[in-house]
Amino acid sequence: MSLIVQKFGGTSVASVAHIENVARRILTSRKEGHDVVVVVSAMGDDTDKLVALAEEVDFRDCRAQREMDVLLASGEQVTIALLSMMLMKLGCKAKSFTGTQARIQTDAVHTRARILNIDIASLKVQIDQGIIPVVAGFQGRDSEDNITTLGRGGSDTTAVALAAILEVDECQIYTDVEGVFTTDPRVVEGACRLDVITFEEMLELASQGSRILHSRAVEFASKYQVPLRVLSSFKDGPGTLITNEGQSMEQPLISGIAFTRDEAKLTILGVKDIPGIASAILGPISEANIMVDMIVQNVADDMSTDFTFTVRREDYDQALKILENIAQKIGAKEVKGNNKIAKLSMVGVGMRSHAGVASKMFRVLADESINIQMISTSEIKISVVINEKYLELAARALHSAFDLSGASLDEPTTTD
Ligand code: ADP
Ligand code: ASP
Ligand code: MG
């Protein structure tokens, strides 16, 4: 007998018929002798609909953040009740738990809260009595009992955090594709399912925009060594195991391509090249709780330089206003912005030992006449910012040039 956490995403629970399919899957695991703790998302695109309702009210005060979490958390509450009823109808003992009832303690950062602790005593009592706990993903409560949510896609993190604390044998993330692919299979037709991928690569892919897993879920899984598998709710198969490096001798050069349109770029031109200027520009941006991703400062010419950085697209308008203010204060020449950009990243642990990936990537983009606006690299990742309208073309061209649809490893010949 083993203990597993099974998480089902929005598409997997989009209707009552889908919920029945999920309940039957859980039942199969029970019949195989496993104890199961279930985590679910809101049905279909219900969270998007709730966000749209709040946008209609259009009250952009910080007090609205608390209410936003009360609103968003309601989506998952519907699913836990319906799935528990369905499981009981099929003859199982099941009981629903909101984040608060499951005692998922978070910090107080509304809409982007982090899980601090989970008191699993009451869930354990249920498991010991043969009851399947059905826990609402994506939500918790802060130290003052306010409802909090974990950021879009956060149900994965609920599942992995529970799996870590319950020390389960496997955490299974059921979704609408058959595992982790070399890139989004909805965008690139030839994308291939990976049997295994390392935590490190998965973390890069997730944090660079591949929404198959929430990046904090991967962080948790890596930190607490939770065996994590991504599988399809609709089709049987082995899925993708996310694991530590070193299981196979041969490391792929590139494991995957991630991309996101959730990007905007801001440039402040003609700033003085003196100590403290980066802090004068980015200080007020971070005080406004705006996350900055890439940063580029050009080499100074006549003691003046240009400074460019990227933010999430939803923060663009606010960041632009702040930057215009800063420009006046520090006597900069001009502020420019562009919110029609996208970021594409190639990820692979094999990059550590192979030169030439970057130059090949740039050549492929050049051959498609795609201009690179910004570049950033880490040991196992190269990211470029490009015009959003060329994103899909770029993803397809790179996927094919690096032969990610085939089994062979691509060895670039040039050096960086
Ligand atoms: P869920 O609602 O189950 O959490 P999501 O929509 O959050 O599902 O994530 C699954 C989607 O992630 C897939 O439908 C696919 O379009 C997208 N995706 C992006 N990158 C990848 C990738 N590398 N492998 C598989 N799916 C990916
Ligand atoms: N329902 C939330 C969302 O759509 C959380 C999740 O699905 O993981 O973002
Ligand atoms: Mg998701």
Side-chain angles (χ1 to χ4, degrees):
M1 168 88 82
S2 69
L3 176 61
I4 51 182
V5 165
Q6 296 186 326
K7 178 257 169 179
F8 297 91
T11 323
S12 310
V13 292
S15 68
V16 171
H18 285 79
I19 288 175
E20 180 170 355
N21 170 52
V22 161
R24 291 193 185 282
R25 257 187 196 281
I26 298 166
L27 217 73
T28 306
S29 301
R30 287 286 291 175
K31 284 186 185 146
E32 286 166 358
H34 306 295
D35 278 330
V36 186
V37 174
V38 178
V39 174
V40 283
S41 294
M43 292 171 71
D45 58 359
D46 278 5
T47 310
D48 292 337
K49 289 182 186 149
L50 295 169
V51 171
L53 286 175
E55 275 166 5
E56 250 185 77
V57 175
D58 196 24
F59 177 59
R60 290 173 202 274
D61 182 284
C62 59
R63 288 167 297 167
Q65 294 291 300
R66 179 185 182 278
E67 307 316 323
M68 191 67 191
D69 274 349
V70 175
L71 177 72
L72 293 183
S74 68
E76 271 68 12
Q77 196 168 332
V78 172
T79 326
I80 54 171
L82 292 174
L83 179 56
S84 300
M85 287 178 201
M86 187 61 83
L87 283 165
M88 289 189 279
K89 183 179 155 190
L90 297 179
C92 273
K93 289 197 265 181
K95 193 169 171 184
S96 65
F97 288 81
T98 62
T100 300
Q101 290 169 327
R103 299 185 192 161
I104 298 174
Q105 194 74 42
T106 72
D107 64 19
V109 184
H110 284 297
T111 74
R112 291 181 200 175
R114 285 177 170 267
I115 295 178
L116 301 176
N117 188 24
I118 307 177
D119 174 0
I120 49 169
S122 69
L123 290 184
K124 276 216 149 141
V125 171
Q126 311 296 322
I127 299 165
D128 290 345
Q129 291 176 1
I131 298 170
I132 301 172
V134 181
V135 181
F138 172 59
Q139 56 180 269
R141 65 149 191 235
D142 70 9
S143 59
E144 291 179 0
D145 285 343
N146 296 301
I147 293 175
T148 52
T149 62
L150 310 180
R152 298 303 305 269
S155 296
D156 297 335
T157 300
T158 307
V160 177
L162 272 170
I165 295 178
L166 288 163
E167 295 181 353
V168 302
D169 298 277
E170 189 162 276
C171 179
Q172 301 174 342
I173 306 288
Y174 284 90
T175 184
D176 54 7
V177 289
E178 287 160 63
V180 179
F181 283 63
T182 45
T183 191
D184 190 336
R186 295 186 197 288
V187 174
V188 177
E189 223 178 86
C192 272
R193 182 185 58 80
L194 300 164
D195 284 326
V196 290
I197 185 167
T198 65
F199 284 121
E200 198 184 8
E201 288 167 311
M202 194 61 241
L203 186 57
E204 280 287 10
L205 286 174
S207 46
Q208 298 307 322
S210 163
R211 73 173 197 279
I212 183 77
L213 279 174
H214 199 230
S215 60
R216 283 219 303 285
V218 187
E219 252 169 52
F220 256 111
S222 167
K223 185 166 171 193
Y224 296 102
Q225 292 292 297
V226 177
L228 182 62
R229 193 180 288 278
V230 177
L231 306 127
S232 164
S233 292
F234 304 104
K235 226 171 163 183
D236 289 332
T240 301
L241 181 69
I242 296 107
T243 184
N244 292 310
E245 199 173 329
Q247 294 213 334
S248 85
M249 293 292 290
E250 194 96 50
Q251 294 296 349
L253 181 59
I254 303 296
S255 286
I257 301 176
F259 42 81
T260 172
R261 290 184 173 81
D262 178 26
E263 293 282 324
K265 184 174 87 164
L266 295 129
T267 302
I268 180 161
L269 293 122
V271 294
K272 288 192 191 86
D273 187 31
I274 51 172
I277 206 75
S279 150
I281 295 168
L282 295 179
I285 298 280
S286 98
E287 275 157 32
N289 239 327
I290 296 174
M291 278 191 305
V292 171
D293 181 12
M294 290 190 193
I295 303 171
V296 175
Q297 184 182 336
N298 292 338
V299 176
D301 188 15
D302 343 318
M303 293 295 283
S304 108
T305 183
D306 305 336
F307 192 94
T308 304
F309 59 94
T310 60
V311 297
R312 285 162 42 154
R313 201 174 279 186
E314 66 184 44
D315 292 330
Y316 174 71
D317 290 339
Q318 197 191 352
L320 194 59
K321 267 191 210 138
I322 296 173
L323 203 59
E324 276 160 358
N325 251 328
I326 299 169
Q328 278 204 335
K329 275 194 198 141
I330 63 175
K333 209 161 76 190
E334 195 188 347
V335 169
K336 279 188 180 167
N338 181 354
N339 63 355
K340 297 272 182 290
I341 58 162
K343 183 173 68 170
L344 181 146
S345 310
M346 298 190 62
V347 173
V349 286
M351 278 188 214
R352 280 203 191 103
S353 51
H354 284 84
V357 177
S359 58
K360 177 166 174 177
M361 179 183 190
F362 302 157
R363 196 176 63 236
V364 171
L365 294 174
D367 288 347
E368 297 293 342
S369 305
I370 298 171
N371 186 39
I372 301 170
Q373 302 181 18
M374 290 172 90
I375 301 167
S376 93
T377 60
S378 78
E379 215 190 354
I380 64 158
K381 174 211 78 184
I382 304 166
S383 301
V384 292
V385 166
I386 56 174
N387 186 326
E388 115 172 282
K389 75 177 176 202
Y390 301 122
L391 180 59
E392 298 191 355
L393 171 65
R396 281 197 284 267
L398 289 166
H399 196 272
S400 150
F402 281 86
D403 205 12
L404 296 184
S405 306
S408 70
L409 296 181
D410 201 334
E411 298 268 349
T413 47
T414 51
T415 50
D416 282 336

